[in-house]
Every structure is written in structure tokens, then in C-alpha cells.
Amino acid sequence: MPNAASHAARRARWQALQAQLRDSSRANRSDVVDEQARQREAAQKRSPAHAHKLAKAERLLDERDMRERGEDVERHRAMHYTIEENEAWEKKLEEKERSRDKGMIDFQDLAERSYQRQIRQLKPDRAAYAEQKQAEANTEAARPSREPPRDRQLVRASEAAVAPAVASYGTHAPDEDAVDRLVTHLNYEHDQIHRRSRRREDDLDVEGTYINQRNKRFNRKIQRYFGEHTKELRENLERGTAL
């Protein structure tokens, strides 16, 4: 009996040590994860490029571990996608396909593509526009019909025989956010045009002594090699005192 009691005591002590070891390992693992999270946050604050590399390295290590365990990496990655993320990704692929260069285009297609690009960059509030348009349609439907006055006289917009949208044309005042978006878009388009336009090196104040770009480069070479030797002769020709 004493041997059985001592054996049971040793077994209980061993189980307690095993439980303590598991708790310590779990706590250490939690501390390691917290430390990695703190390092990741510090790296993100310090350098976005370093944070991106660190996240990529962690992702590659996780994928390597999954391959060693025999798991499908793509399946595991797809399991963490939400429906919203999947729809956003499919929408992004569709927009990329629409904006892809499809070969030869004419001026009409080019104008349409430029218009769609500007609309995407401007990001107008189409929902608010649709609501405003529907409200005007409802107001017009509920408004009693009036006959237009026979003589030319001024009437109020609310008493006019035309639609309120027609009577109030030009009186709409956009909000500050819409104005800011429009100004930002116009500045962006101006910068793009200025950046893509061909730079003109010609100075309008300088007298032109060439007929084309090739002749201009040739005159520069002549001036570079013989300019100092013919300076006096050119000045005499300009003054009209040359022999």
C-alpha cells in the first residue's frame, strides 16, 4: 500500500508538472505573439516598406509551414476571405479588364475612355444625384398642371407652368465637398496635361535664324566652333559698317 500511495503521489506530481509546463508554454507563446505584434507596430510606424517586407516574410513562413503539413495554401487563403472582399476583388478585376488596352481605337473610343477615367477619378455622388432627380420627379408629378400665361409676364418659379427643375436652372449650389473634389480634379488634370505636353525650348524673344530643328542644331554647332572668330564680323553686319 505505501508503494501504491507513493506511486499515485508521484503520478499526481508528474501530471501537475505537465500541466504547469503546458501553461508555461502557452504563456510563452502568447508573450512571443504579443512581442511580435509590438515589433510589427513599431516597424509600421518606423518604415512602411520594412513593415511590408516583414508581413511578406511572415506570410511566406506560414505558407511553408502549411506545405510541410500537407495543407493546401490557396484553399487556406480563400477560407479567410469575406464575401465583401471577394466581391471587391471581382469588381477590381472587371475594372482592370475594361481599362485594358484593346488595340487600335478611334477618337470616339479615346474620348469615351477619357470620360470614364475622369468620372472614376472625380467620384461623383451618384446616389445623391438619383435621389434629387427622383424628388424632383415626384414634386412634378404631385404638382397641379397650369396653363402658360398668354401674355408675356413675370411669374414666380413655384407658379410657373414648367417643371421646377427647368425654372430653377442655374440656381443649384453644390456643397463644399463637391467643390473641393472638382477643384482637386481640375488641378490633377492640369498637372497631367502640363506634364505630358511637349516641352518647347524656343525662346520667343530670341531672333530665329533657322528654318527647322535640323538647321537649328547645325547653327548651334557653327556658333560653338566659329562664334568667337566671327563675332566682330557679325556685329559689323548688324550695324551696317562691314566692308
Side-chain angles (χ1 to χ4, degrees):
M1 295 299 293
N3 293 331
S6 61
H7 180 71
R10 287 196 300 269
R11 184 178 181 84
R13 184 178 179 183
W14 180 78
Q15 291 178 354
L17 291 175
Q18 289 291 330
Q20 185 178 1
L21 179 61
R22 288 194 299 270
D23 295 340
S24 300
S25 300
R26 190 179 299 108
N28 291 336
R29 178 60 180 172
S30 178
D31 293 339
V32 170
V33 172
D34 295 340
E35 181 64 23
Q36 290 180 353
R38 287 193 295 269
Q39 291 180 359
R40 189 182 303 109
E41 292 178 358
Q44 290 176 356
K45 294 179 180 179
R46 183 173 62 255
S47 174
H50 180 72
H52 179 71
K53 292 180 180 179
L54 181 61
K56 183 178 180 180
E58 293 179 355
R59 178 173 56 83
L60 293 177
L61 290 176
D62 294 339
E63 292 179 357
R64 186 194 63 180
D65 295 340
M66 285 187 289
R67 290 191 183 94
E68 291 178 354
R69 293 193 299 267
E71 300 179 1
D72 190 356
V73 178
E74 296 296 334
R75 179 180 177 85
H76 184 272
R77 186 184 303 169
M79 291 175 62
H80 293 78
Y81 291 153
T82 61
I83 298 178
E84 292 78 7
E85 292 176 349
N86 189 21
E87 292 178 352
W89 176 253
E90 292 179 354
K91 184 178 180 181
K92 183 178 180 180
L93 292 179
E94 292 177 358
E95 293 180 355
K96 185 177 180 181
E97 179 64 23
R98 285 196 301 267
S99 61
R100 184 174 60 86
D101 189 6
K102 299 179 177 59
M104 297 294 294
I105 57 176
D106 53 6
F107 289 103
Q108 184 176 359
D109 295 337
L110 186 61
E112 177 67 20
R113 183 180 300 181
S114 177
Y115 172 76
Q116 295 296 337
R117 176 182 58 82
Q118 292 178 359
I119 289 296
R120 289 194 301 269
Q121 294 176 353
L122 184 59
K123 296 180 181 180
D125 193 354
R126 300 188 179 184
Y129 172 74
E131 292 178 359
Q132 181 182 1
K133 189 174 181 180
Q134 185 64 30
E136 292 178 355
N138 296 336
T139 304
E140 177 62 21
R143 183 169 174 268
S145 60
R146 295 187 179 91
E147 296 182 357
R150 297 181 179 179
D151 53 347
R152 296 179 178 273
Q153 59 181 355
L154 297 177
V155 295
R156 296 181 179 178
S158 58
E159 299 177 357
V162 296
V166 178
S168 61
Y169 178 77
T171 61
H172 174 69
D175 53 359
E176 295 294 335
D177 295 337
V179 174
D180 293 339
R181 288 200 308 270
L182 179 60
V183 171
T184 304
H185 175 71
L186 292 177
N187 292 334
Y188 174 78
E189 291 294 331
H190 180 269
D191 294 339
Q192 290 294 325
I193 293 174
H194 181 71
R195 187 180 297 110
R196 295 176 182 176
S197 61
R198 182 171 56 89
R199 295 182 179 179
R200 294 174 174 82
E201 300 177 355
D202 300 337
D203 191 358
L204 299 179
D205 297 333
V206 178
E207 182 181 0
T209 59
Y210 52 90
I211 58 176
N212 50 32
Q213 294 296 327
R214 185 176 180 181
N215 181 245
K216 179 180 179 180
R217 290 192 294 270
F218 179 77
N219 292 344
R220 285 181 178 177
K221 292 180 181 179
I222 295 295
Q223 178 66 22
R224 184 166 58 250
Y225 289 108
F226 304 104
E228 59 180 356
H229 304 291
T230 60
K231 180 179 180 181
E232 183 178 357
L233 179 60
R234 285 185 288 105
E235 292 178 353
N236 293 335
L237 289 174
E238 291 176 358
R239 291 195 303 266
T241 58
L243 297 179

